[in-house]
Amino acid sequence: MDALNLLRQSPVMPVIVVNDAAVAVDLARALVAGGIRTLEITLRTKAALAAMRRIRDEVPDALVGAGTVRTRAHLEAALDAGAQFGLSPGLTPELAAAARASGVPFIPGVATASEAMRAQDEGFDILKLFPAEAVGGIKLLKALAGPLPELRFCPTGGIDASNAANYLALPNVLAVGGSWLTPEAALAAQDWAKITALAKEACALAVR
């Protein structure tokens, strides 16, 4: 599966911070039950890699990937843990080379037209606009569509249930990323029904 088809699996990719790998499987099952298959586990906690491995082993309907991939070592560790794709807040030449060699879909982050063009030069035409709201959000994506019509985006950063549909309505947006599907209170309470309900609502945001 390439990055294009990956982002077509679900309109929203939850940005998940896992502090306890023991809840990873139940969390993934709750999201999948609500129609969300692509799960980004951020490499921001010690539990992230173990969480990825558990989801990969026990939730076959999920597509689990690593977020906040900043180095070749990050990507290699994530792949060893079973990650099926990767996302980064940015892109460096070394990371680009590692991502190309990995054989898995990789979505680098950009915040400007120049960064998008450099990412395209490195072989990436599916990009993560980050931090979306802070750098111009919908207005920037509309502006980029003119000179860079072949690029597609997964904007992340400041996106929630109140504005996600507006992003998804843009022709150059394939999906959005956000943390609102896995609120801390629901994770702490292990309220999987709540997370499934949020996932169903997120799926209903898709306009095409």
Side-chain angles (χ1 to χ4, degrees):
M1 182 179 294
D2 58 16
L4 177 64
N5 287 313
L6 174 77
L7 291 183
R8 284 177 170 165
Q9 300 302 308
S10 304
V12 179
M13 183 182 297
V15 179
I16 305 169
V17 179
V18 179
N19 291 299
D20 181 3
V23 306
V25 169
D26 287 337
L27 171 59
R29 286 174 175 161
L31 289 164
V32 170
I36 298 294
R37 296 187 62 222
T38 51
L39 314 181
E40 175 188 344
I41 308 296
T42 65
L43 296 179
R44 303 179 194 175
T45 68
K46 294 180 180 179
L49 294 174
M52 279 182 233
R53 171 51 63 193
R54 291 192 180 195
I55 294 170
R56 181 68 188 274
D57 289 346
E58 300 183 47
V59 191
D61 289 334
L63 294 168
V64 62
T68 324
V69 176
R70 295 183 291 113
T71 66
R72 179 186 295 272
H74 283 166
L75 182 58
E76 291 173 350
L79 294 175
D80 287 343
Q84 294 162 280
F85 61 91
L87 301 98
S88 175
L91 188 65
T92 66
E94 182 181 11
L95 182 57
R100 287 193 301 269
S102 72
V104 303
F106 190 81
I107 303 172
V110 301
T112 68
S114 291
E115 290 176 5
M117 291 168 64
R118 283 196 293 271
Q120 190 175 26
D121 284 348
E122 292 281 7
F124 302 95
D125 56 10
I126 309 295
L127 307 174
K128 169 180 171 176
L129 182 69
F130 178 82
E133 283 286 282
V135 299
I138 288 172
K139 289 183 178 180
L140 176 57
L141 287 162
K142 287 181 176 179
L144 292 175
L148 302 171
E150 63 278 10
L151 298 182
R152 295 295 179 268
F153 294 89
C154 177
T156 303
I159 299 175
D160 56 29
S162 70
N163 59 8
N166 293 330
Y167 277 93
L168 291 168
L170 299 177
N172 59 346
V173 170
L174 294 169
V176 300
S179 59
W180 83 92
L181 299 189
T182 56
E184 289 185 14
L187 288 176
Q190 298 188 26
D191 188 351
W192 309 128
K194 172 68 172 178
I195 289 175
T196 294
L198 290 171
K200 288 180 178 178
E201 292 172 4
C203 286
L205 294 171
V207 295
R208 60 186 186 279

